[in-house]
Amino acid sequence: SAVISQKPSRDICQRGTSLTIQCQVDSQVTMMFWYRQQPGQSLTLIATANQGSEATYESGFVIDKFPISRPNLTFSTLTVSNMSPEDSSIYLCSARTGGMYEQYFGPGTRLTVT
Amino acid sequence: QKEVEQNSGPLSVPEGAIASLNCTYSDRGSQSFFWYRQYSGKSPELIMFIYSNGDKEDGRFTAQLNKASQYVSLLIRDSQPSDSATYLCAAPYSSNTGKLIFGQGTTLQVKP
């Protein structure tokens, strides 16, 4: 498994501003992902963070709104841009550590937009 | 559209009983399945995964996979109040993307 940390753990932001969430893994991993989890809902994949290239976004998510960086094999950031109250959610980073499909999650970032 | 489906519950069992959580999936090609436990306000924690037909046991947890019927289940023996959580079933979206599809999750309540 892997130990994954995220910063910040929570934040309250004003409408129209942006927030960058950081995800750090304690070892090199093959794949990193960003998810959103709205209250009472399951996980929705935002994008796959690709090391050294542009992220791969899922339907309904675009780079202008959710720019992602992954400069190396242990670190990624997700920015939530031009926020609105609808962006209030928990944002989760996950990592796939080996040849199989297991993913391990960070503790999440709880975002509230006012 | 590949899907993973779970009954949202809540599933309520008395302490010491066996809790049975079920998950069905649409893609006959799925080869592996994962069970995550998520406590309220926390992130999902991987507790079991299974790659082959049959049963896999780990302590009080048993995962069962039936590929012919396209369902996977998680049994929790001697349920404890600390097992009260939402249990998420997941399957790979495809063999080369590493992505997982998650079910909606089943909320388990273990009553003392």
Side-chain angles (χ1 to χ4, degrees), chain B residues 11-74:
Chain B
L11 172 66
S12 183
V13 300
E15 183 175 356
I18 296 175
S20 178
L21 304 159
N22 299 314
C23 171
T24 59
Y25 58 95
S26 62
D27 181 12
R28 284 195 172 274
S30 294
Q31 298 294 317
S32 53
F33 298 87
F34 306 88
W35 284 100
Y36 288 83
R37 177 177 63 198
Q38 186 173 27
Y39 291 114
S40 180
K42 301 295 186 182
S43 64
E45 172 193 10
L46 180 63
I47 56 170
M48 288 285 286
F49 54 87
I50 186 166
Y51 298 123
S52 56
N53 253 349
D55 296 1
K56 178 182 178 182
E57 187 173 316
D58 184 0
R60 296 187 296 112
F61 297 96
T62 299
Q64 299 176 319
L65 174 58
N66 184 322
K67 291 186 178 180
S69 299
Q70 294 180 240
Y71 82 78
V72 58
S73 61
L74 179 69

Side-chain angles (χ1 to χ4, degrees), chain A residues 31 37 42 101-103 106, chain B residues 36 38 43 51 95 97 99 103:
Chain A
M31 303 184 81
Q37 187 173 32
S42 188
Y101 292 97
E102 304 97 275
Q103 287 183 26
Chain B
Y36 288 83
Q38 186 173 27
S43 64
Y51 298 123
S95 61
T97 65
K99 299 189 297 186

Side-chain angles (χ1 to χ4, degrees), chain A residues 31 33 35 37 40-43 45 48 58 92 96 100-108 110, chain B residues 32 34 36 38 41 43-44 46 49 51 88 92 94-100 102-105:
Chain A
M31 303 184 81
F33 304 89
Y35 290 83
Q37 187 173 32
Q41 301 296 313
S42 188
L43 304 175
L45 181 64
T48 302
E58 297 301 305
L92 293 153
R96 174 183 166 187
M100 302 309 288
Y101 292 97
E102 304 97 275
Q103 287 183 26
Y104 299 89
F105 285 86
R110 183 180 295 272
Chain B
S32 53
F34 306 88
Y36 288 83
Q38 186 173 27
S43 64
L46 180 63
F49 54 87
Y51 298 123
L88 298 160
S94 67
S95 61
N96 62 352
T97 65
K99 299 189 297 186
L100 294 178
F102 284 84
Q104 289 299 308

Side-chain angles (χ1 to χ4, degrees), chain A residues 19-21 31-36 44-51 53-70 76-81 91, chain B residues 93 97 99:
Chain A
L19 175 71
T20 295
I21 302 168
M31 303 184 81
M32 296 180 74
F33 304 89
W34 287 97
Y35 290 83
R36 181 171 72 183
T44 300
L45 181 64
I46 298 171
T48 302
N50 300 309
Q51 193 266 327
S53 64
E54 194 171 285
T56 304
Y57 290 84
E58 297 301 305
S59 175
F61 298 95
V62 295
I63 188 171
D64 290 346
K65 176 67 175 177
F66 297 101
I68 289 170
S69 77
R70 189 178 173 196
S76 178
T77 67
L78 167 74
T79 299
V80 186
S81 303
Y91 291 86
Chain B
Y93 182 81
T97 65
K99 299 189 297 186

